[in-house]
Structures are given as C-alpha cells and as structure tokens.
Amino acid sequence: MLFRSVDEFRKAVESSRALVQSPELNDLRKELLRRPLEFYRQLRTELVSLPNPSLENLRSLRDATSQLAQLHTELGDLAEAIQLHEQVLELSAQALAHPEAHDDRQRRYWGKARVVAHLAIATTVARMNDKSREFRAYEQAWQAAESLAEEDPEDQELNVARASALTGMASTLQALKRWPEAKARFAQAAELHRGNVARNPEDPEIRRNLAKSQVRSEEHTSELQSPCNLVCRLL
C-alpha cells in the first residue's frame, strides 16, 4: 500500500503540466521528486542488505530499483539512471538462477523484466545524443524480447515491447542515415503493430503506434526512390 502511494505521488509530480512547463517551478518539482527518491533509496538499501533474498524480495528490489532509476532520469541524472537499470539486468540474472525460479511463469516474468530494463536504458540513452549507443540498447531489447517471443508469439505485452524496440532501432538508424535498414525496421514494427491491433482493436494507443510506423515506413520508401538520394549515395 505504501509502495503504491509513493508511486502515485511520483507520477502525479512527473505528469503535472504546470510543474513540467513552468521553468520557475523547476526547483519545486525537483524538491517534490526527492521525497519518493529518498523512500526508494532507503527501501533499496534495506532489500540489498538481505542475506538470502527470496524471489519476492528480488521482485521488490527490482521495483524499487526501477522506480529509483526513473526518478534519477526525471532529475536529469542520466548516468545514474542507466547504472540502476543495468542493476535490474543483474537482478534478473540473479532471480533466474534462484532455487525458487523453477517454473515458466517466473522465468517469463524475469525475462520480461530484462526486456523492460533494456528499453529503459535505450530511452534514457536517447536523451544523451549518442545514437550508436542508443541503437545497441534498442537492439539488446529486441534480442531479449525475441528469445521470449519464440515460446509465445501471441503474448500481447511482449509484442508491444518488440514493436517498441524495432521502432527505436529504426528511428536511430534514420538518425545515423542508414536509410534502407531504417525502412526495414519500420516495416517490421508496423507488421507487429498490425498484429497487436488485430488482437486489441479497441486500444487507441496500439492503433496510434501502427499509424506512426506505417507513415515512417512510407516516408523512407519515398526517400529511397528519390533520384537525388540515389545519386548522392553513390557519390
């Protein structure tokens, strides 16, 4: 209950339009975010100190670490946020080797935790304007998701993550001017989004994602067919 209350407070501060859009309130926003930051920092310290953590303890530690990473991102400490997301990857490996992690449900939970952590790293790196590193992070998210998708291709949550990773890869390839690769990734993402829409036709966010992927794929088709682009790339 306390965990949920603190998280709701954090989300309220992060989503407040007045706090986000008003430069004069920036100090207040940071001060408000430091309250949940201290809560999750203390909780994480307590959980890390447990000598023989259960899988439930590791789940709580994963949640606290992820929340802490998001708060550091909001506060502009991107390096610390990435380090915390990387620690979630380490926790996932620890959990998968845990004696209690003997069923498919636990294995998939922690496998998905890895995918989410890789995506979080990628979106954080995106703020640092290091496109090569950003691409690698999205690629790692894609690879982690693909290994799970082979077992259950109809997993909606996983398919959304796969499409997000592909879209991130495509956008980064576009920024790196690797046009044919970007077009192929956008097309792959659109295909996944179409499948997601077929399974959840009433979900507006999924439909928006499909529309964006289709537009980006068509833009690259036009660009690659432009005589100027074709000639310039041969020179």
Side-chain angles (χ1 to χ4, degrees):
M1 181 65 73
L2 179 59
F3 208 131
R4 185 180 303 130
S5 297
V6 175
D7 188 36
E8 288 174 355
F9 175 79
R10 174 188 67 80
K11 289 179 179 177
V13 174
E14 290 178 351
S15 61
S16 170
R17 186 170 297 178
L19 290 173
V20 171
Q21 296 181 350
S22 303
E24 65 273 15
L25 296 178
N26 190 48
D27 289 343
L28 173 60
R29 180 172 178 273
K30 288 184 176 181
E31 182 59 33
L32 291 172
L33 287 174
R34 290 193 188 282
R35 297 181 185 181
L37 182 97
E38 290 304 320
F39 169 81
Y40 287 119
R41 182 178 286 158
Q42 182 177 348
L43 176 61
R44 185 175 181 280
T45 299
E46 292 173 1
L47 291 168
V48 166
S49 67
L50 294 174
N52 297 299
S54 65
L55 271 184
E56 189 61 34
N57 293 147
L58 291 177
R59 278 196 181 212
S60 296
L61 181 54
R62 178 247 176 178
D63 291 341
T65 304
S66 296
Q67 297 287 358
L68 198 55
Q70 290 179 40
L71 284 162
H72 276 289
T73 299
E74 288 297 321
L75 290 166
D77 191 351
L78 303 184
E80 180 66 19
I82 291 171
Q83 187 175 31
L84 287 163
H85 286 308
E86 288 173 342
Q87 288 173 14
V88 171
L89 294 175
E90 294 172 8
L91 281 172
S92 300
Q94 182 182 348
L96 288 167
H98 196 282
E100 297 175 19
H102 49 72
D103 59 33
D104 287 342
R105 183 177 60 84
Q106 291 287 354
R107 190 166 54 82
R108 287 189 70 77
Y109 172 86
W110 289 102
K112 287 181 179 181
R114 290 181 62 241
V115 175
V116 171
H118 279 304
L119 282 172
I121 290 170
T123 55
T124 306
V125 171
R127 300 189 180 200
M128 303 170 72
N129 199 31
D130 184 343
K131 292 302 176 183
S132 295
R133 186 181 178 187
E134 182 184 344
F135 174 78
R136 289 194 299 272
Y138 276 120
E139 187 175 42
Q140 287 175 321
W142 163 252
Q143 291 168 347
E146 281 296 276
S147 65
L148 290 174
E150 291 174 1
E151 301 171 10
D152 186 3
E154 300 302 310
D155 188 312
Q156 176 70 19
E157 186 180 39
L158 198 56
N159 283 331
V160 170
R162 292 167 69 203
S164 295
L166 279 169
T167 301
M169 290 169 68
S171 297
T172 311
L173 287 166
Q174 179 185 31
L176 292 169
K177 299 184 179 181
R178 292 163 60 176
W179 311 112
E181 294 170 87
K183 177 180 179 295
R185 294 300 186 185
F186 277 127
Q188 282 181 281
E191 185 63 30
L192 275 173
H193 286 310
R194 276 191 286 272
N196 291 337
V197 168
R199 285 183 286 271
N200 292 275
E202 302 305 317
D203 191 320
E205 182 64 25
I206 290 176
R207 298 186 72 85
R208 279 194 294 270
N209 289 336
L210 170 60
K212 289 176 184 176
S213 294
Q214 288 176 324
V215 168
R216 302 295 287 278
S217 181
E218 290 168 4
E219 285 175 353
H220 281 284
T221 299
S222 299
E223 186 173 49
L224 286 169
Q225 291 173 347
S226 164
C228 177
N229 280 316
L230 290 171
V231 171
C232 290
R233 285 174 199 142
L234 291 173
L235 295 177

